[in-house]
Amino acid sequence: MFPEYDIIVVGAGHAGCEAAAAAAKMGSKVLLATMNMNTIAQMSCNPAMGGVAKGQIVREVDALGGMSGIITDETMIQFRMLNKSKGPAMWSPRAQSDRMRFAEAWRLSLEQTENVDFWQEMVTAIEVEQGRAVGVRTSLGITIRAKAVVLTNGTFLNGIIHIGEKQLGGGRSAEKSAKGLTEQLVSLGFEAGRMKTGTPPRVDGRSLDYNRMEEQFGDENPSKFSYTETTLLAKQRSCFITYTNSDVHEILKTGFEKSPMFQGRIQGLGPRYCPSIEDKINRFAERDRHQIFVEPEGWSTVEVYVNGFSSSLPEDVQLKALRKIVGFENAKMFRPGYAIEYDFFPPTQLNLTLETKLVENLYFAGQINGTTGYEEAACQGLMAGINAHNKINEKAPFILKRSEAYIGVLIDDLVNKGTEEPYRMFTSRAEHRILLRQDNADIRLTKLGYELGLADESRLKAVDKKIAETAEIIAYLNNKPIEPGDINSMLESLGSAPIVEKQRAGQLIKRPNIEIHHIAEAIPAVKEYLSKFKVDSVEQAEIAVKYESYIEKEHTMAAKMGELENYIIKDKINYRNIPALSAEAREKLLKVQPETIGQASRISGVSPADISVLMVYLGK
C-alpha cells in the first residue's frame, strides 16, 4: 500500500511541519503522519509567534531556510518589536497571528512542497530492527517503512485534560490523545516523565467593553520575520490590556478545593514562567492585580484569547471570575481554560542531532523533549529534519554552537542539562546574546542554510549585499567628520554635551542617546548618503558602530568559554549562602553540585550573571 519513505514525521504541529518541510526540500521522500489533517500547525495556545528570545529563534529558523517566519508574515495581524528601549541584544520581534490563516497557510505550503505525502491516522508504535528505527505501525495495524522516523507528538502522548474535577483523555481540546508510543518506548529502555501546560478560556469579543481597557497598538512602522521579500503589514488589529482585581481573586479561590493542581490530581510540572491564574494568586498573594492581555484570534473572527488567565478551575468559577475583570462584565465564554498533562522523554537521552541514543535513526523534536512554545518546537523540528536527512544520506551532522545561534543554546541545554519543567527560551540563557541578535540571524546562518540546500541562492546574494553595504556604511561613519556648528543644536536638544571640535560621525553614534537618524536629520549630506542603502543595512551598521566594544568583548568571551571546563569546583558548596545568585540558580546548583564552572554554566536556570557571581565567590 505504501512505498518505503526516507523519513516519516509523526505529528503535524510546529515541530513536525518544519521537520517535514526541511527534509523534503533537501531531497528526502517524507510522509507526514497526523491524527487530524484539519489541525496541521494548529496554534494550540496563544495566537502569536515570537517574543523575547523566541523572536530570535523564528528569525534563525527563517535564515536557515525554514518556513515559520514566512508563514507568520503571511498571516499576522499585528507586529511589535519588543524591548526597543533596551540594547539590540534584547530587541525581540513578536507577531499576533490569525490562528485559522496560520494553520491554513502551513498546510497549503506543505501540500505544495514536493516530496511530502500525508497520512491521517494515529501512530501507535515504532518499527525497530536491530536497534534501528525502520518505520511505524498505525492504529489500523498498517506498517509503513522508512529509513528514519521523527517523533513530534506535542502534548498528545497519553494526554489528560483537566477542568476542575473533570478529567478527559485528549491531546488538545476536542482531540483524542495518542496511545501506545510511550509504553513501547519505555519497553525499549527510554525514561519517560510527565509535564503539564495550560491554556486560558476563549471568549466572544462582541461581549467585551474595549472602551474600558487600554489599547495596545502595533508598531507604527511594522517590520516582519522573514528575510525574504514577504509583504509588510499595511493595517493592523489592536490588542488590549486590562487587569484582575481582588474580587476576581476571591472568586477564583472558591474553586481551589476543586483545583486539579492544588488537589494533587496533576503530577506533571508546569512552566515556571507562565503559571496559571490560580497559581499566580496563590504564589503572589501580596499582589492585588495581574495583567491580562486581550488578544484577537484573527482578522475576522470574534474569538478572543485571554492571555494571562490560564486556568484549570471549574468552568463556572472561570466565568464568574472573568466577569469581575474590567471590560469583561458581560463576557460570554466560548470554551473554558484547561490544563493538560502529557508524557515527555527527558532530552538527555538524545544526541546533539536530536537522534536518540538508544534507537538509531529515531529523532525526537518539540514538546516530547520537554520544551514549551511554538518557536522552540519549530527550531527542533527543523534541526531533526535536517539531521535525519543527513544521517540516511551519510552526510555530516548539522550542529549549531552556543555562540552561533539560540537554536544551538536550546539544544545544548536540553541534551547536556535536561529539564525537569517545560523549557522556555530566554535571552538570559545565552551567554553570547549580543552576538545572537534578531537583526543578524541572516548573516550568521544563511550561508549554512544555503550549503544544506534549504536557503536558495537569492537569499545568499541578499546577505552578501547586506554585509557589503554594512561595511561600506561603517567605513563612512567612522571617517565622516562632523563640524560643531552643524550638530551642536541637535546634541543640546537631546541633552547631550556639545562638541568643541570636529568629531567623526561614528564617535557621536557611540553616545547612549544619539542614534544614526538624529545625525542624518541634522546633516543633509549624511541623510542623502544613507538613503542609498536598505534600512536593514543601515541598522546593522549603527549597531556595529555603537556597540563595537561590547561585540568585541563577546567574541573574546566566546573564544574563552572553553576554559571554564578547567575551573574545578573542589569542595561541595552550600549555594544558599551565596545570596547574589538568583533563587533558581541556588536551587539548581545545590541539587546538581557541578564539578566545574563549565558544567555549572550549562545547568538549566543558571544564567551568565549567576556564573559571574559564582566565579567571584570562588576567587576565579
Side-chain angles (χ1 to χ4, degrees):
M1 180 177 178
F2 289 93
E4 178 174 342
Y5 287 91
D6 293 316
I7 299 169
I8 295 174
V9 178
V10 181
H14 301 264
C17 288
E18 286 288 4
K25 287 180 181 178
M26 294 172 74
S28 283
K29 185 67 176 175
V30 177
L31 178 70
L32 180 58
T34 175
M35 292 195 294
N36 188 347
M37 289 280 290
N38 294 321
T39 55
I40 288 174
Q42 180 79 5
M43 292 181 132
S44 306
C45 203
N46 62 320
M49 288 290 282
V52 177
K54 293 169 173 281
Q56 283 86 331
I57 290 176
V58 178
R59 283 267 167 94
E60 290 176 352
V61 167
D62 182 76
L64 286 168
M67 291 298 299
S68 289
I70 292 172
I71 300 293
T72 301
D73 287 354
E74 290 176 350
T75 60
M76 65 180 166
I77 62 176
Q78 188 194 86
F79 181 92
R80 295 178 66 222
M81 185 67 76
L82 306 182
N83 290 332
K84 280 290 285 185
S85 62
K86 300 180 181 179
M90 299 296 289
W91 298 353
S92 301
R94 183 183 189 273
Q96 201 70 26
S97 297
D98 185 308
R99 182 190 299 277
M100 290 182 285
R101 290 188 181 183
F102 183 93
E104 179 188 42
W106 248 121
R107 175 169 172 167
L108 294 177
S109 175
L110 288 167
E111 288 180 355
Q112 294 159 20
T113 300
E114 189 178 356
N115 292 329
V116 175
D117 289 346
F118 301 87
W119 184 249
Q120 179 174 292
E121 195 189 346
M122 183 189 299
V123 169
T124 55
I126 307 300
E127 289 291 315
V128 180
E129 295 176 1
Q130 298 179 332
R132 176 178 296 183
V134 296
V136 302
R137 189 165 62 254
T138 73
S139 58
L140 291 176
I142 300 170
T143 296
I144 311 172
R145 294 186 67 83
K147 297 172 184 175
V149 176
V150 181
L151 294 185
T152 67
N153 301 82
T155 60
F156 281 79
L157 294 178
N158 293 323
I160 297 176
I161 292 172
H162 297 266
I163 304 174
E165 295 179 307
K166 300 168 185 174
Q167 292 185 2
L168 311 167
R172 191 161 47 206
S173 179
E175 295 183 59
K176 62 184 179 181
S177 57
K179 306 289 186 182
L181 269 176
T182 295
E183 293 73 17
Q184 184 212 11
L185 291 170
V186 169
S187 74
L188 290 170
F190 285 92
E191 175 193 353
R194 295 286 277 177
M195 281 189 177
K196 95 165 179 74
T197 188
T199 191
R202 271 52 160 201
V203 301
D204 187 337
R206 296 170 299 183
S207 65
L208 304 182
D209 185 355
Y210 293 107
N211 292 323
R212 304 192 65 198
M213 305 178 199
E214 174 189 338
E215 190 166 5
Q216 187 178 49
F217 299 97
D219 286 353
E220 184 175 349
N221 297 302
S223 184
K224 56 194 183 75
F225 277 99
S226 181
Y227 293 101
T228 61
E229 296 299 321
T230 52
T231 305
L232 288 169
L233 274 178
K235 62 176 183 176
Q236 303 185 66
R237 281 202 68 177
S238 292
C239 297
F240 293 84
I241 296 173
T242 185
Y243 298 87
T244 64
N245 52 58
S246 57
D247 289 341
V248 175
H249 299 178
E250 289 306 312
I251 292 173
L252 290 171
K253 289 175 184 176
T254 66
F256 280 9
E257 63 181 17
K258 295 182 179 180
S259 165
M261 182 176 66
F262 295 139
Q263 299 307 315
R265 289 189 293 277
I266 295 178
Q267 301 301 316
L269 284 174
R272 176 187 296 258
Y273 300 100
C274 189
S276 64
I277 188 64
E278 54 264 36
D279 195 19
K280 287 180 189 176
I281 65 175
N282 183 55
R283 285 166 51 190
F284 308 109
E286 73 282 0
R287 296 188 186 177
D288 58 7
R289 71 175 193 171
H290 294 281
Q291 199 168 45
I292 300 294
F293 294 93
V294 183
E295 301 177 343
E297 299 233 346
W299 285 114
S300 304
T301 181
V302 299
E303 188 170 359
V304 168
Y305 183 87
V306 190
N307 195 341
F309 204 86
S310 176
S311 179
S312 58
L313 292 174
E315 62 275 16
D316 60 329
V317 175
Q318 292 186 38
L319 183 56
K320 287 178 184 176
L322 273 175
R323 287 179 170 172
K324 291 294 182 180
I325 296 174
V326 172
F328 278 69
E329 291 82 1
N330 298 305
K332 295 178 181 178
M333 193 160 67
F334 280 172
R335 59 185 183 275
Y338 60 85
I340 181 164
E341 194 176 12
Y342 56 93
D343 293 335
F344 84 106
F345 291 84
T348 49
Q349 301 171 99
L350 302 176
N351 297 312
L352 287 169
T353 59
L354 299 180
E355 182 184 23
T356 68
K357 295 175 181 177
L358 283 174
V359 177
E360 191 177 356
N361 291 357
L362 176 63
Y363 295 77
F364 291 172
Q367 284 177 287
I368 192 173
N369 290 335
T371 61
T372 181
Y374 308 143
E375 304 82 3
E376 289 87 343
C379 74
Q380 290 174 73
L382 178 74
M383 297 297 283
I386 291 169
N387 280 305
H389 172 86
N390 281 357
K391 176 72 182 293
I392 63 176
N393 287 284
E394 300 182 346
K395 295 182 179 180
F398 181 67
I399 297 169
L400 292 169
K401 300 174 185 176
R402 297 181 70 91
S403 57
E404 288 182 306
Y406 272 94
I407 298 172
V409 174
L410 182 147
I411 293 176
D412 184 72
D413 278 354
L414 292 177
V415 172
N416 290 319
K417 308 174 188 178
T419 186
E420 295 178 354
E421 60 192 45
Y423 178 103
R424 177 181 178 181
M425 180 53 72
F426 293 100
T427 52
S428 61
R429 295 193 191 275
E431 57 270 45
H432 309 297
R433 58 185 174 272
I434 200 166
L435 303 181
L436 309 181
R437 306 184 309 275
Q438 56 82 31
D439 60 88
N440 70 352
D442 55 341
I443 293 173
R444 290 184 278 120
L445 300 173
T446 299
K447 185 178 180 181
L448 297 176
Y450 175 75
E451 291 169 351
L452 287 167
L454 285 175
D456 61 29
E457 189 174 4
S458 64
R459 282 181 173 235
L460 189 63
K461 288 180 177 179
V463 170
D464 288 342
K465 182 179 180 182
K466 179 178 177 179
I467 291 170
E469 287 187 351
T470 300
E472 185 178 338
I473 297 167
I474 291 171
Y476 173 81
L477 294 173
N478 286 335
N479 288 286
K480 174 64 177 176
I482 304 292
E483 297 286 349
D486 294 332
I487 200 74
N488 278 344
S489 61
M490 183 275 291
L491 294 176
E492 289 171 349
S493 71
L494 294 172
S496 190
I499 58 175
V500 295
E501 57 184 23
K502 282 194 298 187
Q503 278 196 17
R504 307 292 181 186
Q507 284 300 114
L508 292 171
I509 289 171
K510 290 181 187 293
R511 295 189 180 192
N513 56 337
I514 304 301
E515 298 177 7
I516 197 168
H517 71 86
H518 294 136
I519 295 176
E521 289 301 321
I523 313 292
V526 174
K527 185 174 185 177
E528 182 180 357
Y529 176 82
L530 295 177
S531 68
K532 300 185 299 182
F533 302 99
K534 291 187 69 174
V535 172
D536 289 352
S537 300
V538 176
E539 179 185 68
Q540 195 71 203
E542 180 178 17
I543 291 170
V545 170
K546 183 179 284 290
Y547 298 96
E548 179 183 15
S549 61
Y550 297 98
I551 292 170
E552 288 179 358
K553 287 177 183 177
E554 199 105 302
H555 280 298
T556 302
M557 187 178 81
K560 289 184 176 180
M561 280 301 286
E563 298 176 9
L564 294 180
E565 299 301 329
N566 299 322
Y567 292 164
I568 308 298
I569 302 175
K570 297 178 180 178
D571 303 315
K572 190 173 182 179
I573 296 173
N574 185 349
Y575 292 96
R576 293 193 187 94
N577 295 333
I578 312 179
L581 291 171
S582 68
E584 186 179 0
R586 291 197 297 271
E587 173 190 327
K588 297 293 182 63
L589 289 167
L590 193 63
K591 180 177 181 180
V592 176
Q593 287 293 333
E595 297 180 3
T596 68
I597 295 289
Q599 183 183 354
S601 73
R602 293 192 298 275
I603 295 173
S604 179
V606 178
S607 71
D610 294 318
I611 293 300
S612 297
V613 170
L614 184 57
M615 291 180 73
V616 171
Y617 177 82
L618 293 171
K620 297 294 185 182

